[in-house]
Amino acid sequence: MTTLASRPAAKQHRPKNTPPSNFSSPVFDEVGLPSDPNNLYRQTVGSMLYAAQVMNLPNGFQLILAQPKNEIMVHFPVRMDDGSYRLFKGYRVQHNNALGPFKGGLRFHPDVHLDDVKSLSFLMTMKCSLAGLPYGGGKGGIKVDPRKHSSGEMERIVRRFTTAIAHNIGPDYDIPAPDVGSSAQHMAWIADTYSFLSEATGKNANAVITGKPVESGGSLGREKATGQGVVDTLEIMLPELGLDISHITFSVLGYGNVGSWAGRILAAKGGKMTAVADHTGFLKNEKGIDTVALADHVAKTGGVRGFTGATSCTKEDFYKTKVDVFVPAALEQMVQEEEARMLNCIVVAEGANAPTTPAGERVLLERGIEVLPAILCNAGGVTVSYFEWVQNLTFHSWELDRVDRELNKHMVDAANRTKAARQKYDCDLRTAAYIAALERLRKVYELRGIFP
Ligand code: NAD
């Protein structure tokens, strides 16, 4: 495999400041974080606290950012198609709104729990700050498996959840969006329910949520935005690793919204996808997998299994496939130590949120594998969500060209600020991305202070 040793000499610098896999901070105890080192919230906040230590961020700011502002949990009954009632659990966590309204997706998944949602809302605060957006961070979800419900049941679940959290969201307060398991159709039902419940009507009520269908107030380019942002980030970062995006090989973990769009856009630029995996199986084809045909197959069958343009392989085969770029685009904590040791790539481009554990990242860094962190790499989705919100509030529709151009500006700026922080603090890219995000938040808190 291509290793750090075989890359151009200029790329062989190993940063001085990289987080240890067992990083600990006094802030953990001060704000009462769980003691389990495998806890996702402890891990994600830990990466930020490490960056805060490197840049000497005052303790008070670290405390504010180490816990969310509001944690809302709701239970609501829904009538099933057979006439029975079921009780569902939903969440909305509002991490921070120093930079603007809370913003972040809604996950519909049977394993959703409070720590996930807290972690994801925290990441949104950091991502919006890094991407230069006037938003804070939020996240929510419903503990439900959308695949196990009819369209009618899902509509009642989504509308009833919206009713339960309606007083806690709003176009100028908290603006949800899609995430794993939720779709543009769900967003349209949320906008409609909210407009019915609130005094706001029409387009401005539409601004309560983004990721809507284009016909119903959505933005052109939103569906592919996160995958597009992953590719924009790679385009900016690959040249310094001696890679040309039009000739790369890549593999993708998770072929849903983010993974399939990243795959299709990379392939359109000349890249070759040689391995792919999702919850249904692992596939490989050294000659290249047709990314568009696979997306059609997944849309029809719900997963990559059974696709005839590649052969099924083991998990080990999938991770050990030699590629230039590996794109994790499924769920959190999927690249642990074991996977990090198997990976045979030059770059990990985090399409998913928090896919790499601190222990996994330690292995990747020691092996000279570059990690493009999620708060940079997958910021395209929230950036185009911001454009959708601006279009709703100003009663305008932007052309796709304009959406792509403006998105690229935000991605380039975020990548450049990350690179500048890496240079200044001699650190890895995740630490650098957090530092760039924290610098913006620090300035705001220094200017506005804390009430009273
Ligand atoms: P999605 O529901 O469209 O796709 C999720 C994918 O993960 C599917 O392909 C599924 O098969 C796969 N998956 C689930 N469990 C798996 C398992 N155990 N093993 C392997 N694969 C598994 O969701 P998405 O919107 O593409 O989101 C993917 C990731 O990207 C999440 O971490 C999400 O938070 C993040 N993200 C999404 C957006 C967005 O705009 N949709 C924006 C930023 C970040």
Side-chain angles (χ1 to χ4, degrees):
M1 92 177 237
T2 310
T3 62
L4 195 67
S6 59
R7 288 197 219 152
K11 310 306 162 212
Q12 294 187 14
H13 173 73
R14 278 179 193 261
K16 194 172 77 192
N17 295 309
T18 57
S21 55
N22 59 351
F23 173 72
S24 183
S25 156
V27 174
F28 283 171
D29 289 337
E30 212 169 332
V31 301
L33 293 194
S35 55
D36 176 5
N38 296 319
N39 177 271
L40 181 64
Y41 191 66
R42 184 183 169 100
Q43 289 183 351
T44 41
V45 170
S47 301
M48 178 276 287
L49 292 174
Y50 175 74
Q53 199 179 78
V54 171
M55 71 188 284
N56 267 326
L57 189 74
N59 183 261
F61 298 153
Q62 298 189 36
L63 291 178
I64 293 170
L65 293 168
Q67 284 287 18
K69 207 165 169 185
N70 307 313
E71 297 174 22
I72 300 149
M73 205 187 295
V74 294
H75 294 96
F76 53 95
V78 179
R79 187 173 33 79
M80 298 290 100
D81 291 341
D82 65 4
S84 65
Y85 291 139
R86 271 191 57 191
L87 194 69
F88 290 87
K89 188 192 272 285
Y91 304 92
R92 186 70 188 167
V93 173
Q94 297 164 331
H95 179 261
N96 187 280
N97 61 351
L99 297 176
F102 302 107
K103 181 87 188 92
L106 294 173
R107 179 168 294 193
F108 298 167
H109 194 280
D111 295 337
V112 163
H113 61 272
L114 187 60
D115 273 331
D116 294 342
V117 183
K118 281 175 69 172
S119 307
L120 295 164
S121 74
F122 158 79
L123 287 169
M124 289 306 296
T125 299
M126 296 296 140
K127 197 181 299 181
C128 292
S129 178
L130 180 63
L133 305 175
Y135 284 144
K139 204 85 180 190
I142 309 176
K143 208 171 179 50
V144 62
D145 186 346
R147 286 181 286 235
K148 295 203 170 132
H149 291 278
S150 67
S151 172
E153 286 182 351
M154 270 321 286
E155 178 171 354
R156 292 194 291 279
I157 292 167
V158 168
R159 286 187 185 276
R160 191 60 205 249
F161 171 65
T162 310
T163 311
I165 61 162
H167 293 295
N168 299 105
I169 58 174
D172 54 4
Y173 182 66
D174 183 356
I175 306 132
D179 189 71
V180 174
S182 58
S183 65
Q185 173 63 74
H186 299 143
M187 302 303 113
W189 288 331
I190 292 173
D192 182 60
T193 309
Y194 182 81
S195 81
F196 181 76
L197 293 172
S198 70
E199 286 174 9
T201 51
K203 287 273 182 184
N204 278 329
N206 260 353
V208 70
I209 195 139
T210 58
K212 300 178 290 291
V214 175
E215 302 79 3
S216 176
S219 175
L220 291 172
R222 173 62 185 90
E223 199 199 320
K224 66 164 182 143
T226 309
Q228 181 70 57
V230 171
V231 178
D232 285 6
T233 309
L234 283 167
E235 221 155 15
I236 304 158
M237 306 300 284
L238 287 185
E240 65 177 47
L241 296 165
L243 293 171
D244 171 357
I245 198 161
S246 59
H247 291 100
I248 55 165
T249 52
F250 64 94
S251 58
V252 180
L253 173 65
Y255 211 68
N257 174 289
V258 179
S260 74
W261 277 110
R264 281 174 279 182
I265 301 168
L266 280 174
K269 287 190 175 287
K272 185 162 79 170
M273 183 168 81
T274 53
V276 66
D278 73 358
H279 71 287
T280 65
F282 301 89
L283 299 179
K284 219 178 145 168
N285 185 348
E286 275 178 21
K287 293 193 178 127
I289 298 170
D290 182 333
T291 54
V292 176
L294 180 61
D296 291 343
H297 174 83
V298 171
K300 279 190 206 120
T301 67
V304 301
R305 188 169 47 197
F307 181 64
T308 50
T311 44
S312 146
C313 64
T314 62
K315 171 181 169 178
E316 199 172 335
D317 277 343
F318 169 75
Y319 279 101
K320 287 189 170 169
T321 303
K322 182 179 174 182
V323 284
D324 297 314
V325 179
F326 168 64
V327 183
L331 302 179
E332 298 76 33
Q333 297 180 312
M334 298 195 88
V335 182
Q336 309 210 4
E337 265 181 277
E338 184 197 354
E339 291 79 15
R341 285 191 204 291
M342 287 194 280
L343 276 172
N344 193 350
C345 63
I346 299 172
V347 189
V348 173
E350 292 187 340
N353 284 308
T356 314
T357 62
E361 175 150 45
R362 190 75 233 153
V363 172
L364 294 176
L365 292 175
E366 278 166 12
R367 294 183 59 213
I369 295 173
E370 190 77 276
V371 181
L372 308 183
I375 63 164
L376 169 65
C377 209
N378 73 23
V382 68
T383 302
V384 177
S385 271
Y386 164 60
F387 301 157
E388 177 177 334
W389 182 69
V390 169
Q391 291 171 71
N392 291 163
L393 294 177
T394 57
F395 304 100
H396 270 94
S397 299
W398 296 7
E399 302 282 332
L400 182 58
D401 273 2
R402 178 173 177 192
V403 171
D404 284 346
R405 217 174 35 246
E406 296 285 334
L407 168 62
N408 188 258
K409 272 194 221 164
H410 281 267
M411 299 308 296
V412 169
D413 178 63
N416 285 341
R417 284 174 33 237
T418 302
K419 284 193 208 176
R422 175 179 60 181
Q423 169 108 18
K424 182 170 172 189
Y425 292 98
D426 195 3
C427 59
D428 61 288
L429 279 174
R430 189 183 313 280
T431 304
Y434 276 119
I435 290 175
L438 289 169
E439 273 167 355
R440 191 168 162 229
L441 282 155
R442 166 161 63 184
K443 277 183 203 141
V444 170
Y445 273 110
E446 278 171 355
L447 287 166
R448 62 174 235 181
I450 307 285
F451 179 81

